[in-house]
Amino acid sequence: DAKRNGRGRLIWFDSEKDRSENALSQLLKQIENALDNDELVLHFQPKVNMQTGDVLGFEALLRWQDPNRGLVPPGEFLPHIENHPISITVGNWVIQTAIAQIERWKSEGIRTSVSVNINSLQLLAPNFVPLLEEQIHSHSGFDPADLELEILESAAINDIQLASNVLEQCRALGIRASLDDFGTGYASLNYLKQLPAETLKIDQCFVRDMQREAGSKAIVRGIIGLADAFGFQVIAEGVETEEQGKELVALGCLAGQGFGIGRPMPAAQVREWLAGWHSAQSWLDK
Ligand code: C2E
Ligand code: MG
Ligand code: MG
Ligand code: MG
């Protein structure tokens, strides 16, 4: 351990820690600036019924349009701040912006629902539900059914009692929830039965490996069966090819999302994507 290695080693540990704390406080400052300067943007990725071609909605995915670095993906900054209160501020911005976008689309004749990713700190914060209620009511005429929450399976089971309670209150407001990256979070069946969520999102790693790995295909099949048994909807993430889509439909999972259907795109491109999607002869011969 550190002590046995002598004083020099301890100093090294300390400076290493300082360095990472320094990096974090720098990142926090940059994100505060990003919020102030409107550098955060949402991109939207379609979810469809792969059999009928119906568009089921869009998932809002956060990006940071950094003037120096360009478009920064969420994996490069969200994980570093997930336990810090600023992630709640960012999360509230995401909800507010998604609601505003739904309303803007509605006024332009595009009626669709949007799901937003919620981290565990945000979900379990004492004022999450009141704030959500305030946000949906600040837009008169907003239909809460057009908003959906995506909660990581792992976050939901972290504090299952509280998470269930919060999701129950959201459901009472008319807001649905899905369990994201499902299959990677070790939810016990007993927990699953308690969770007031509507949808299981099959993690993309299983979809990716499904066709060359019997185990992954078995997991996909298992999640679909589980969803059926517990009364959940099911959607597959990471659908990159028509082959994967066909396989999923054959297994009974009709809903899909992935690069093969549509990549996450700026709000301004959604109308054009919709037109192209609806005019295409077939995706799975729809
Ligand atoms: P997620 O919620 O599971 O979102 C799916 C991720 O997979 C997205 O990455 C999406 O671009 C990517 N993806 C979609 N289809 C495909 C595909 O066919 N192939 C492959 N290889 N990837 C695909 P992204 O946008 O980089 O987001 C990564 C994660 O960051 C998200 O995973 C979510 O956990 C988190 N995240 C994104 N936006 C937010 C947000 O606003 N709030 C919070 N708390 N987390 C967010
Ligand atoms: Mg998600
Ligand atoms: Mg996911
Ligand atoms: Mg994910």
Side-chain angles (χ1 to χ4, degrees), residues 2 12 42 50 75 105 125 209 223 268:
W12 183 81
L42 293 182
M50 297 183 287
W105 275 327
D209 298 337
I223 295 174

Short mmCIF file of all heavy atoms in Angstrom, two decimals, residues 2 12 42 50 75 105 125 209 223 268:
data_model
loop_
_atom_site.label_atom_id
_atom_site.label_comp_id
_atom_site.label_asym_id
_atom_site.label_seq_id
_atom_site.Cartn_x
_atom_site.Cartn_y
_atom_site.Cartn_z
N ALA A 2 0.24 2.40 0.03
CA ALA A 2 0.95 3.66 -0.13
C ALA A 2 2.01 3.87 0.96
O ALA A 2 3.12 4.29 0.67
CB ALA A 2 -0.05 4.82 -0.12
N TRP A 12 3.15 11.48 -4.39
CA TRP A 12 2.73 11.23 -5.76
C TRP A 12 1.22 11.02 -5.84
O TRP A 12 0.52 11.59 -6.66
CB TRP A 12 3.46 9.98 -6.31
CG TRP A 12 3.14 9.72 -7.73
CD1 TRP A 12 3.67 10.32 -8.83
CD2 TRP A 12 2.17 8.78 -8.22
NE1 TRP A 12 3.11 9.81 -9.97
CE2 TRP A 12 2.19 8.88 -9.62
CE3 TRP A 12 1.29 7.88 -7.61
CZ2 TRP A 12 1.36 8.10 -10.43
CZ3 TRP A 12 0.48 7.11 -8.40
CH2 TRP A 12 0.51 7.23 -9.80
N LEU A 42 -29.56 19.46 -28.03
CA LEU A 42 -30.12 18.11 -28.08
C LEU A 42 -30.17 17.65 -29.53
O LEU A 42 -30.55 18.40 -30.42
CB LEU A 42 -31.55 18.09 -27.50
CG LEU A 42 -31.69 18.39 -26.02
CD1 LEU A 42 -33.16 18.29 -25.59
CD2 LEU A 42 -30.83 17.45 -25.18
N MET A 50 -40.60 -1.44 -36.56
CA MET A 50 -39.83 -1.93 -37.71
C MET A 50 -40.70 -2.74 -38.67
O MET A 50 -40.33 -2.97 -39.80
CB MET A 50 -38.64 -2.77 -37.22
CG MET A 50 -37.64 -1.96 -36.39
SD MET A 50 -36.17 -2.90 -35.88
CE MET A 50 -36.85 -3.97 -34.61
N GLY A 75 -20.72 11.10 -23.63
CA GLY A 75 -19.82 10.19 -22.91
C GLY A 75 -18.53 10.85 -22.48
O GLY A 75 -17.83 10.35 -21.60
N TRP A 105 -42.44 21.60 -32.48
CA TRP A 105 -42.82 20.67 -33.55
C TRP A 105 -44.34 20.63 -33.70
O TRP A 105 -44.87 20.63 -34.80
CB TRP A 105 -42.29 19.26 -33.26
CG TRP A 105 -40.87 19.03 -33.71
CD1 TRP A 105 -40.27 19.60 -34.80
CD2 TRP A 105 -39.89 18.17 -33.10
NE1 TRP A 105 -38.96 19.13 -34.89
CE2 TRP A 105 -38.71 18.26 -33.88
CE3 TRP A 105 -39.89 17.34 -31.98
CZ2 TRP A 105 -37.55 17.53 -33.57
CZ3 TRP A 105 -38.74 16.61 -31.68
CH2 TRP A 105 -37.58 16.72 -32.46
N ALA A 125 -33.36 13.16 -6.65
CA ALA A 125 -33.35 14.46 -5.98
C ALA A 125 -34.74 14.76 -5.44
O ALA A 125 -35.73 14.47 -6.10
CB ALA A 125 -32.90 15.55 -6.96
N ASP A 209 -24.29 -8.28 -31.00
CA ASP A 209 -23.68 -9.62 -31.01
C ASP A 209 -24.66 -10.75 -31.31
O ASP A 209 -24.26 -11.91 -31.45
CB ASP A 209 -23.02 -9.89 -29.65
CG ASP A 209 -21.90 -8.90 -29.36
OD1 ASP A 209 -21.37 -8.34 -30.34
OD2 ASP A 209 -21.59 -8.68 -28.18
N ILE A 223 -35.15 -11.27 -22.80
CA ILE A 223 -35.71 -9.96 -22.41
C ILE A 223 -37.10 -9.77 -23.03
O ILE A 223 -38.01 -9.27 -22.38
CB ILE A 223 -34.75 -8.80 -22.81
CG1 ILE A 223 -33.44 -8.92 -22.03
CG2 ILE A 223 -35.42 -7.45 -22.55
CD1 ILE A 223 -32.37 -7.90 -22.45
N ALA A 268 -33.64 20.45 -36.47
CA ALA A 268 -33.97 21.02 -37.77
C ALA A 268 -33.97 19.99 -38.89
O ALA A 268 -34.53 20.24 -39.96
CB ALA A 268 -32.99 22.15 -38.11
#
